[in-house]
């Protein structure tokens, strides 16, 4: 038993249990305290780091454990930036990203070099290295933008992309100057750096996707998937360092690669966000605060002068770059403010450059003191810059995020033209398909509307026994737990009925369900491909039905292929299913290939052009459903095949659809597919019938009024004659 008197309470604290407990209490209470006084929680964590650090109360030493967790937190921020970014929007804005990246690098570099050379009196190499530090920035305030849900705004995407450009260029300058001081920079050095960088990029973007897809196909355990994701992030970071570039570049690139494999509404994404924001990122912010030495303010005018020049030049040039970017690309004022806020904070790369410069010895004084490339005044001024710039960044991003979030909500409200309260029903019959069906149901969930997801399991009461009831409870419990892992909820329904299909039909009608997800039964063949239950539902229900056969997880698809019948655009449910499909493609970040007639493809294109957001689409003319087997040659194993079908007697129904069970059960056995039945009017009442009925009604009324008119004229004639 350990006595209290035997515990070591000397400062800085040495007991790992006490140290970790103190850090956790800081992570818990610092944001709460600072939020009450309207200060961003990030500032609270940095200030807490200042207070407990070696230059404050000296409660904690910035030892290897703090450095380790701080490094993990920094890499985690860069990884999240790549993971959460909208890839389609990122590609769309690549020219803007390049322009902003160059502006936010060149302005600080030029003005910083001039200020360092002429105002501070440093030499050329010292001025250039110090100015390159001004050019870098760290996305310290990115978690604030993430909290407000504006990370997919173009301003955020531009800043994240610009961060990569400016940090790479600044670190290249650092490598060159470090080599020049050692007199070993030659053309071979730059060739080696270029080749190693190309090899690194090739491994991350060509090899990593193959490994990631293989793993996700074979392992669905949540813990294993999370550990695997972290392993890939830090492997990419290590490979970046091995290639001679900064580890944060590797973390960001790994996020870009994993972007397609981690849907934003998935349980895995929820775990990634939770662990990062609860532990790793706060550790990084506390470690940044522990670097700050507030005593530089009383160490003489030299340190204050350097700190003042560093602060003014660093913030002013970043503001100038953001303002020019806003004017050049006609962004809103709030977006320009967001760019400045995210790009104004200095931390990781800044500190790395300064520490390298501080440790480079260029000579000795007469008394034997080392002459450093960057002296102690620069080091202290930079540490002060970290504190002030992170504070400015946090306040600015907080304000801009609030405005962008309000604008985004208003825009979504104005553009939303679907029902306010959507209801999705997921029919759960097979235990091994529960997670795939629930994932698909969540993907259908609209972010704009109030959407309810129902999980239904129907028990045939004629054969119901205790084992069937137990299986039903396990299925429902599994669905609820899986949805909860992604912070979604499922409304469970267990129903006893003499017919399973009738149980599903009556549940749909009772709850006014709009979208129905049904798993394709396991013993599908050419005679009973959809199954008698699904066929009965299709006959009795005219809402949108998705009959899903998953052979691999949703996040491992490379492409969606959609086969559309002629006149698909004339069906009442056309706009609804198309918007749902676009939402899934955007969420998963995968392209869509549409196969349809010229008229149908044109209608799809017009809808996509009017929609908010960007997805990569391709159109191929296809109208001969007798030649349906061309898809067996076009489709690849990692494609999701969606067949837009139709109920008999409606505009888009073609007789060749009767052959679909034969084709799909014989030639598409290993293919993941969805047979989609769009929302339609009651049986036999299609748009053509309505138009004909309206025309007939108008003709009848006209004829009746014509008869009445003739009778009236005859009566009036009789009265006149009298």
């Amino acid at each position: 038993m350990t006595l209290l008197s035997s515990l070591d309470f000397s400062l800085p604290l040495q007991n790992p249990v006490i140290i970790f407990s103190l850090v956790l209490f800081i992570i818990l209470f610092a944001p709460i305290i600072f939020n009450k006084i309207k200060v961003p929680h990030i500032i609270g964590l940095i200030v807490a780091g200042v207070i407990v650090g070696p230059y404050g109360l000296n409660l904690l030493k910035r030892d290897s454990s703090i450095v380790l967790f701080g490094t993990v937190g920094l890499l985690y921020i860069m990884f999240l930036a790549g993971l959460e970014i909208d890839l389609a929007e990122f590609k769309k804005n690549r020219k803007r990203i390049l322009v902003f990246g160059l502006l936010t690098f060149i302005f600080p570099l030029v003005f910083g070099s001039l200020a360092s050379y002429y105002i501070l009196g440093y030499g050329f190499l010292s001025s250039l290295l110090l100015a390159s530090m001004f050019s870098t920035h760290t996305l310290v305030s990115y978690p604030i933008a993430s909290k407000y849900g504006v990370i997919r705004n173009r301003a955020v995407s531009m800043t994240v992309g610009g961060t990569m450009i400016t940090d790479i260029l600044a670190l290249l300058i650092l490598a060159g100057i470090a080599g020049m001081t050692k007199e070993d920079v030659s053309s071979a050095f730059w060739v080696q750096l270029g080749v190693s960088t190309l090899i690194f990029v090739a491994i991350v973007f060509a090899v990593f996707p193959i490994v990631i897809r293989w793993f996700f196909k074979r392992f669905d355990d949540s813990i294993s998937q999370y550990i695997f994701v972290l392993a890939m992030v830090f492997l990419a970071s290590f490979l970046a360092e091995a290639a001679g570039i900064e580890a944060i570049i590797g973390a960001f690139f790994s996020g870009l690669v994993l972007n397609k494999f981690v849907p934003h509404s998935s349980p895995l994404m929820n775990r990634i966000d939770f662990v990062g924001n609860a532990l790793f990122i706060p550790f990084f912010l506390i470690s940044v605060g522990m670097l700050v030495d507030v005593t530089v303010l009383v160490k003489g005018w030299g340190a204050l002068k350097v700190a003042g020049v560093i602060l003014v030049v660093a913030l002013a040039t970043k503001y100038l770059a953001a303002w020019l970017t806003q004017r050049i690309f006609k962004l809103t004022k709030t977006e320009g403010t967001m760019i400045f806020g995210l790009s104004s904070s200095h931390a990781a790369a800044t500190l790395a450059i300064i520490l390298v410069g501080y440790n480079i010895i260029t000579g000795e004084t007469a008394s034997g003191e080392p002459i450093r490339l960057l002296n102690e005044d620069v080091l202290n001024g930079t540490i002060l810059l970290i504190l002030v710039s992170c504070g400015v960044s946090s306040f600015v991003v907080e304000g801009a995020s609030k405005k962008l979030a309000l604008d985004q909500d208003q825009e979504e409200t104005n553009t939303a033209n679907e029902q306010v309260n959507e209801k999705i029903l997921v029919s759960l019959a097979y235990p091994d398909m529960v997670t795939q069906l629930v994932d698909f149901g969540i993907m259908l969930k609209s972010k704009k509307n109030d959407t309810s997801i129902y999980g239904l399991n129907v028990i045939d009461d004629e054969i119901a026994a205790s084992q069937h009831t137990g299986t039903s409870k396990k299925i429902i419990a599994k669905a609820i737990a899986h949805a909860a892992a992604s912070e979604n909820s499922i409304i469970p329904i267990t129903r006893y009925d003499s017919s399973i299909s009738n149980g599903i039909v009556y549940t749909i009608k009772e709850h006014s369900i709009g979208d129905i997800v049904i798993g394709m039964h396991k013993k599908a063949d050419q005679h009973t491909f959809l199954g008698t239950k699904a066929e009965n539902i299709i006959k009795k229900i005219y809402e949108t039905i998705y009959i899903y056969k998953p052979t691999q997880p949703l996040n491992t698809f490379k492409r969606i292929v959609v086969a559309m019948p002629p006149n698909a655009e004339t069906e009442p449910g056309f706009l609804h299913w198309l918007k749902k499909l676009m939402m899934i493609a955007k969420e998963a970040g995968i392209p869509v290939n549409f196969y349809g007639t010229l008229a149908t493809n044109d209608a799809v294109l017009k809808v996509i052009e009017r929609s908010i957001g960007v997805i990569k689409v391709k159109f191929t003319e296809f109208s001969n459903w007798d030649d349906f087997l061309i898809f067996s040659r076009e489709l690849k194993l990692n494609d999701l095949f969606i067949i837009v079908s139709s109920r008999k007697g409606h505009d888009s129904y073609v007789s060749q659809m009767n052959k679909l069970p034969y084709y799909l059960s014989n030639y598409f056995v290993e293919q993941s597919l969805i047979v989609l039945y769009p929302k339609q009017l009651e049986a036999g009442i299609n748009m053509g019938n309505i138009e004909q009925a309206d025309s007939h009604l108008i003709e009848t009324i006209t004829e009746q009024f014509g008869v009445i008119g003739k009778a009236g004229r005859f009566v009036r004639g009789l009265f006149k004659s009298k």
Side-chain angles (χ1 to χ4, degrees):
M1 180 177 178
T2 303
L3 297 176
L4 186 62
S5 58
S6 64
L7 293 175
D8 183 9
F9 289 101
S10 60
L11 300 181
L13 297 172
Q14 302 295 324
N15 189 310
V17 178
I18 298 176
I19 291 173
F20 200 72
S21 298
L22 177 60
V23 171
L24 291 179
F25 277 115
I26 291 172
I27 295 172
L28 176 63
F29 288 111
I32 296 174
I33 294 171
F34 279 83
N35 281 339
K36 286 186 175 181
I37 58 176
K38 307 298 182 183
V39 175
H41 70 282
I42 285 178
I43 293 297
L45 292 169
I46 293 175
V47 171
V50 176
I51 294 171
V52 302
Y55 301 107
L57 299 177
N58 197 29
L59 296 178
L60 298 179
K61 181 182 178 183
R62 197 172 187 275
D63 56 10
S64 57
S65 61
I66 299 293
V67 172
L68 171 64
F69 276 98
T71 303
V72 171
L74 171 62
L75 297 178
Y76 215 97
I77 289 176
M78 299 308 301
F79 161 60
L80 283 178
L83 185 65
E84 294 178 336
I85 202 168
D86 187 335
L87 287 179
E89 196 72 27
F90 190 77
K91 292 176 182 177
K92 178 183 175 182
N93 291 315
R94 57 185 179 273
K95 292 182 180 178
R96 297 178 178 180
I97 289 170
L98 179 61
V99 171
F100 168 69
L102 293 176
L103 288 177
T104 200
F105 173 76
I106 292 172
F107 281 132
L109 185 71
V110 172
F111 288 104
S113 298
L114 294 174
S116 301
Y117 190 81
Y118 289 105
I119 298 176
L120 299 179
Y122 293 130
F124 174 74
L125 286 182
S126 299
S127 298
L128 186 62
L129 186 59
L130 181 57
S132 68
M133 177 270 289
F134 297 154
S135 297
T136 66
H137 56 260
T138 304
L139 298 174
V140 170
S141 299
Y142 183 84
I144 296 177
S146 179
K147 181 182 73 172
Y148 282 96
V150 296
I151 49 177
R152 295 196 166 193
N153 182 274
R154 57 183 176 178
V156 179
S157 298
M158 289 170 63
T159 312
V160 171
T163 302
M164 295 300 98
I165 294 172
T166 190
D167 281 3
I168 289 173
L169 293 176
L171 293 170
L172 286 176
I173 290 177
L174 172 63
I177 292 177
M180 290 172 68
T181 57
K182 299 174 184 177
E183 298 181 353
D184 61 356
V185 170
S186 62
S187 57
F189 167 79
W190 296 109
V191 170
Q192 180 183 351
L193 181 63
V195 171
S196 61
T197 301
L198 289 175
I199 293 173
F200 156 71
V201 171
I203 291 174
V204 172
F205 286 99
V207 179
F208 272 33
I210 298 173
V211 176
I212 294 168
R213 184 171 282 105
W214 173 87
F215 186 90
F216 281 150
K217 278 185 178 181
R218 286 159 179 79
F219 301 94
D220 58 1
D221 176 62
S222 57
I223 296 176
S224 299
Q225 287 188 348
Y226 179 73
I227 298 299
F228 172 75
V229 166
L230 279 189
M232 298 305 290
V233 172
F234 289 98
L235 175 60
S237 302
F238 167 74
L239 291 176
E241 286 191 331
I245 55 180
E246 192 66 23
I248 57 175
I249 309 298
F252 177 73
F253 283 177
S254 68
L256 290 179
V257 172
L258 283 159
N259 190 294
K260 295 181 179 180
F261 298 95
V262 184
H264 293 275
S265 59
S266 65
L268 179 57
M269 186 67 192
N270 186 49
R271 294 185 184 96
I272 291 170
D273 269 335
F274 173 77
V275 176
N277 291 311
L279 191 62
F280 293 137
I281 295 175
F283 246 106
F284 164 68
L285 297 170
I286 292 171
S287 71
V288 169
M290 293 174 69
L291 289 169
V292 177
D293 181 6
V294 293
T295 61
V296 298
L297 298 174
V298 294
K299 286 188 176 180
W301 288 106
L304 287 177
K305 179 182 177 182
V306 172
V309 170
I310 288 176
L311 282 170
V312 171
V313 174
L315 293 176
T317 52
K318 288 293 182 183
Y319 179 82
L320 178 61
W323 179 80
L324 273 177
T325 302
Q326 175 197 331
R327 297 300 296 269
I328 292 171
F329 298 112
K330 297 179 181 179
L331 307 179
T332 66
K333 185 177 179 181
T334 306
E335 288 175 324
T337 303
M338 173 63 81
I339 292 174
F340 166 66
L342 286 174
S343 63
S344 61
S345 54
H346 295 258
T350 299
L351 189 63
I353 290 172
I354 293 304
L355 288 177
V356 169
Y358 180 75
N359 291 324
I360 292 177
I361 309 297
T362 59
E364 291 184 356
T365 63
S367 59
E369 292 290 328
I371 300 175
R372 302 179 183 274
L373 189 62
L374 296 176
N375 59 27
E376 195 171 281
D377 287 342
V378 175
L379 179 62
N380 291 328
T382 303
I383 292 173
L384 192 61
L385 170 66
I386 291 173
L387 177 62
V388 175
S389 65
C390 289
V392 170
S393 174
S394 300
F395 279 107
V396 172
V397 171
E398 180 96 17
S401 296
K402 288 179 180 178
K403 291 180 181 178
L404 286 177
L406 287 173
D407 294 342
Q408 185 173 289
D409 291 342
Q410 184 63 41
E411 188 177 7
E412 289 179 352
T413 301
N414 293 336
T415 56
N417 55 8
E418 296 186 32
Q419 58 183 337
V420 174
N421 184 18
E422 292 185 339
K423 294 182 179 179
I424 299 168
L425 178 73
V426 181
S427 177
L428 304 169
Y430 309 112
D432 56 346
M433 290 177 65
V434 169
T435 56
Q436 291 97 326
L437 294 178
V438 170
D439 283 340
F440 186 72
I442 292 172
M443 293 283 272
L444 291 174
K445 183 177 179 181
S446 174
K447 305 298 184 295
K448 301 175 184 177
N449 301 332
D450 182 17
T451 305
S452 302
I453 303 178
Y454 295 81
L456 172 66
N457 181 259
V458 180
I459 302 174
D460 191 333
D461 58 6
E462 294 183 0
I463 59 172
S466 59
Q467 63 180 23
H468 293 286
T469 304
T471 302
S472 175
K473 288 180 179 179
K474 290 179 181 178
I475 288 174
I476 293 295
K478 185 176 181 180
I480 292 172
H482 188 72
S486 60
E487 293 188 347
N488 288 284
S489 60
I490 278 188
I491 302 171
I493 301 175
T494 302
R495 184 175 189 130
Y496 291 85
D497 204 294
S498 58
S499 166
I500 292 179
S501 60
N502 284 342
I504 297 173
V505 168
Y506 294 141
T507 303
I508 292 168
K509 292 181 177 180
E510 289 167 4
H511 294 276
S512 301
I513 302 297
D515 293 275
I516 302 98
V517 179
I518 302 173
M520 191 171 290
H521 73 129
K522 299 178 181 179
K523 298 179 181 179
D525 57 37
Q526 66 187 64
H527 302 293
T528 60
F529 185 72
L530 298 179
T532 55
K533 300 183 184 73
E535 288 174 353
N536 288 335
I537 295 168
I538 293 167
K539 290 176 182 177
K540 297 177 181 179
I541 296 296
Y542 295 93
E543 301 298 328
T544 309
I545 298 176
Y546 310 84
I547 301 177
Y548 184 29
K549 187 189 86 171
T551 60
Q552 63 189 72
L554 267 171
N555 59 333
T556 60
F557 292 120
K558 284 186 176 181
R559 185 178 61 157
I560 297 175
V561 176
V562 185
M564 302 177 294
N567 301 316
E569 72 279 8
T570 65
E571 298 287 5
F574 168 72
L575 199 60
H576 179 77
W577 71 256
L578 180 56
K579 287 189 174 182
K580 290 293 184 183
L581 176 58
M582 289 163 55
M583 189 169 62
I584 292 172
K586 191 171 187 297
E587 183 79 8
I590 51 180
V592 185
N593 284 24
F594 290 97
Y595 285 78
T597 63
L598 285 174
T600 303
N601 287 344
D602 186 56
V604 171
L605 179 60
K606 287 178 179 177
V607 174
I608 293 174
E609 287 176 342
R610 292 196 305 266
S611 301
I612 297 173
V614 181
I615 61 171
K616 187 177 180 181
V617 295
K618 180 182 177 181
F619 294 94
T620 303
E621 186 178 357
F622 172 74
S623 58
N624 185 9
W625 279 63
D626 285 322
D627 198 20
F628 187 81
L629 288 181
I630 65 166
F631 290 108
S632 64
R633 300 189 298 271
E634 294 290 331
L635 289 166
K636 298 179 176 61
L637 189 60
N638 292 315
D639 290 343
L640 173 61
F641 187 29
I642 299 180
I643 305 103
V644 181
S645 187
S646 178
R647 299 165 179 87
K648 288 185 179 180
H650 291 267
D651 282 353
S652 62
Y653 180 80
V654 291
S655 59
Q656 290 87 343
M657 287 181 179
N658 292 326
K659 300 179 182 178
L660 279 180
Y662 172 76
Y663 291 145
L664 296 178
S665 59
N666 286 280
Y667 298 97
F668 302 88
V669 177
E670 301 298 325
Q671 195 73 50
S672 290
L673 56 88
I674 295 173
V675 181
L676 191 156
Y677 287 85
K679 178 180 179 179
Q680 290 167 318
L681 302 178
E682 294 299 322
I685 305 179
N686 57 26
M687 297 306 292
N689 292 337
I690 289 174
E691 290 174 0
Q692 292 173 7
D694 287 346
S695 177
H696 178 69
L697 180 61
I698 291 168
E699 289 176 2
T700 302
I701 292 171
T702 303
E703 289 176 2
Q704 295 297 327
F705 272 101
V707 172
I708 293 171
K710 290 178 181 178
R713 286 193 295 273
F714 176 74
V715 171
R716 283 197 300 272
L718 287 176
F719 277 105
K720 285 180 180 180
S721 63
K722 290 182 179 180

